[in-house]
Structures are given as structure tokens and as C-alpha cells.
Amino acid sequence: MHESLLKQWSSDGVQQENVQSLDKESEVEEAAPFNVPFYTECSEAAQAELINQCEGQFAQLEMLQNQIIFAEPDPDESTQELSVNRLTAVAAELKQWQTMQPELLSPNSEVLLAVGAEELQKLNSQLELVFSCSQAKRDKLRESLKREQKWLEEKKEVFRAATEHVANQRLENERLSENRVLRDTKKKIQKMKDYQDRLMETLADILEEHFPLPTMETSVNKKKKNIPQDLNQDLLSLNEILELLMNKTLDTPHDPYVRIDETFWPPYTEMLLRYGIALRHPEDCFKIRLEAFY
Amino acid sequence: MSLLKPFSKLPELNTANILLVENEEQFQQILAETIVLLKKNVNVNVRLARSLPLPIENEKFRPRIDLVVFIINLTSELSYQSAEVSLKFLDPDYFLGKVCFLVTNARNASVPPERLISVRKLVASLHCPLLFAEDQMTDGVNTAAHRLLAILKVTSGHVPMATGLYLSSLTRCTVPSDIDQQNFD
């Protein structure tokens, strides 16, 4: 339907100092069929009336145009400020709007009917367009809502899984830390035990080497051999004495004293007392205890 | 100096004439073809020019121009200067609603921001509407064509109860105050 005709022409240098292309003025023209369907529905009388009306208006237009052309150009107008010019024009337009009386498009009811019908059709098509547009938009929104809900569900699931994971991790962590403390303590205990064992062994070695029982000395005191031999039978070694003292201190801390009897070889007892390893009971001189080293 | 006057000729029946002024002639051509192909109920003549003034010997054949559009490509300084020079060849009556400006390439990163500001100031000083157009895509060109056609219909008197002056008073470009402040700084 739309037939476009592209016409171009360039002028031959009105201002010859200018480059030709600068002066070019081209025209794109379109001869579109101007459709006025409602004319056919009107009666001939109505058409004639309309045409008369149009002719009258065109005559008025021509008259006004002539008035504009022949009006004396205001010499001040060109120098006038643009905004002042605009203000005058707007004021004039406002005045015109105020004085204008609303009038009927045409006194002929047939024409009015046709125009009204056309307007309604136009409105109808526009509203249909709006309707389809809004429907499409609604569908799109619905779809996006669905998508968003799905997305929300997924996120919720992820959140749940993550929370669970965190809880698991925390539990695991706690268990691990308890275990570790336990293991550390065990290790320390083991270490302490080892250390104690080593100490004990060393002590035993020293005692065995340097503090033998009096039975071992056979060369001296042959005369009194009978007497010490009697004693020797159930004498305690220094090792045993210390053990006894230590066990007593640990087992009954409220009463760490050990009674001295004939199984204690006096020189050993004396040595322990002299070097401050053992203490005598302040009231009972037959009782001794281990010095409080701790 | 031949001024282009808005009221020097008798309007034709069911016809609207638009004049596109662009120094570079690229976007102009595409836009003209798009406007011609648009569906409409008036005959639209699109006239193209690189700059004003228009040559005198076409004066006789030239219809009354209802809307003058200055297309300014923001990436080129020359485009702006050319439009500025061309403005002097328009009758002051045109600025009562029959001129509008169309800026292209405003989103281009290489455009210095001062150029847009200066364009806005120019347009604001003339109380004209300022349109922005995307010239790379057909959608953008279509939108620009629709907008221009809507303005053209008003300025050529095809819309009852509306005039170009009325429309341009509502749609004219204003310069934001913060730009003013920046310039004062």
C-alpha cells in the first residue's frame, strides 16, 4: 500500500562560493492513499454540506495567509528577545483559547454519527492493543513468578542443606576436640609415667650400687658375725625403706609416719634423718616420715 | 540572508512537511526512509538538508515546512557547530514550537560530557524539545521516527486542540540546576 518515492535533486550553486553538496536539498516524498472510509456511508446531501464547509474554511485560511504575508514585518521583531517573543505568542494563544467557543464539528447528524463511529473504532482498536499487551505482560509476569518461586524453593533447600551441614560440622568439631583433649591428656600421663619409671629405675640403680645391705660386707667384724647375721635375716634394704616411706605418705597422707623396728638398719635410718630425707615424729622417737618434698 | 519562514506559504491539504538538517547525512537518510514507511493518515514529505540556508531556486517548489529537526551527532564537534550556524537562518517564528533537536550517540563513551551539556544549554535557550535517538539499531530509528511524526502532526495542525507552541512549552528542554552549579564552580 505504501508506495514511497524518493526524489532527490541538488541545486546548481546558488551561492557559488559554497561547495555544491552543502547547498543540496533533497526531498523524500510519499504518495500515501488517504483513506476516508466514512464518506461512502453518508448521503450525498451530507457530503455536499461537508465539502461546502471545507471550502468555506479553506477560503478563510487563504485570507488569513494573505494577511500574514502582507502584514508589515515588525522591525523590532528580529531584534526581540526570543523568550519575549515566546511570551507574547503564548499569551496570544491563551487569549484565543479563552475566547474560543466550543462548536459542533458539523450540524449534520449523519456526519457526526460517522465521525463518532470512526472514533469509536479507533478507540476500540487501541484498547484491543492495550488489552493484548497487558495480557502478554501478565503472562510474562506469571511465568516469572513461577520461576521465582521455583528459585525460592531451591534456595530454601540449599539453605536447609547448608544449615544441616553446619550443624554436622559443629558436632564433628566438638567431638574431635574432646578426643584431642583426651588424647593429649593420655599422652601427658604416659610421659609422666615414663619419667617416673626412669626416675625409679635410676634411684634403684643408685641404691643398689651405693647402699648394699650389711650382709654383703663379710670381711669386717668377724667376731660379731653372729649378731649381725641374726639381724641380717630380715633387714630391709634402703630401697625398701624408701618405698615403705613413700607408699605410707601417698596412701595415708594424714598419717605418714612409719614405725621403726629392728628390720630398719640403724645406719640407714640415721643417714636418712641426717640428710633431711626423713623426719622423726616430734613426740614418738620411733616413728619417722618422709620429708615433705612436694 | 534568506530566512526560512513558517507562515510564508499556504498549507496543502492533508500534508505535513518535515525538514531534517544534519551535517553528516547518514542517520538523516535512514530516518527519512523510516518516517516515509510509517503508517499514518496524512501525507508526509520529508526534506533533507545538510545545513541552512536552503538554496533559493528551490524556494518556489518548496512547500511550507512544518517542523525543522536538527540532528546532532554527539561524537562530532562539527555536527554541533554546523547546527549552531544553521540556526541563524531560521525565522524567529520557527522557535515558537516548530523546531526540535535530535541527539544521537549520546551513550557513546568517547563523547566528552561537556558537549552534551552545551547542546542542552543551546536547546534550552531556544525553548525547544530535545530528543535522544539510538541510530545503530532499527528499533531506535523506528522510535525516533515515531516521536518525530507525533510532533510533526501537532506542528502541522493535524491534531485538534493542540498547537506546536503548546506542545513545545510542555516538552522543552531545561538545563538541570546542578549543571549550572558545576559550571559556576
Side-chain angles (χ1 to χ4, degrees), chain A residues 4 9 11-12 14 21 23-30 32 34 62 65 69 77 86 89 93 97, chain B residues 7-10 14 25 36 40-41 43 45-48 55 57-58 62 64 93 95 163 165 168:
Chain A
S4 73
W9 65 81
S11 64
D12 297 322
V14 179
S21 68
D23 306 333
K24 197 174 80 182
E25 185 194 0
S26 44
E27 187 181 15
V28 183
E29 205 174 86
E30 191 215 13
F34 185 65
E62 273 179 327
Q65 182 68 34
I69 291 170
E77 201 178 344
R86 200 179 172 81
E93 202 172 297
W97 281 119
Chain B
F7 299 117
S8 61
K9 281 183 185 150
L10 208 58
N14 292 325
E25 290 187 304
V36 163
K40 54 203 174 283
N41 52 10
N43 293 332
N45 290 336
V46 183
R47 301 181 73 84
L48 310 176
E57 79 264 24
N58 288 341
R62 187 183 304 126
R64 172 168 142 164
D93 283 348
F95 294 107
T163 63
L165 182 63
S168 77

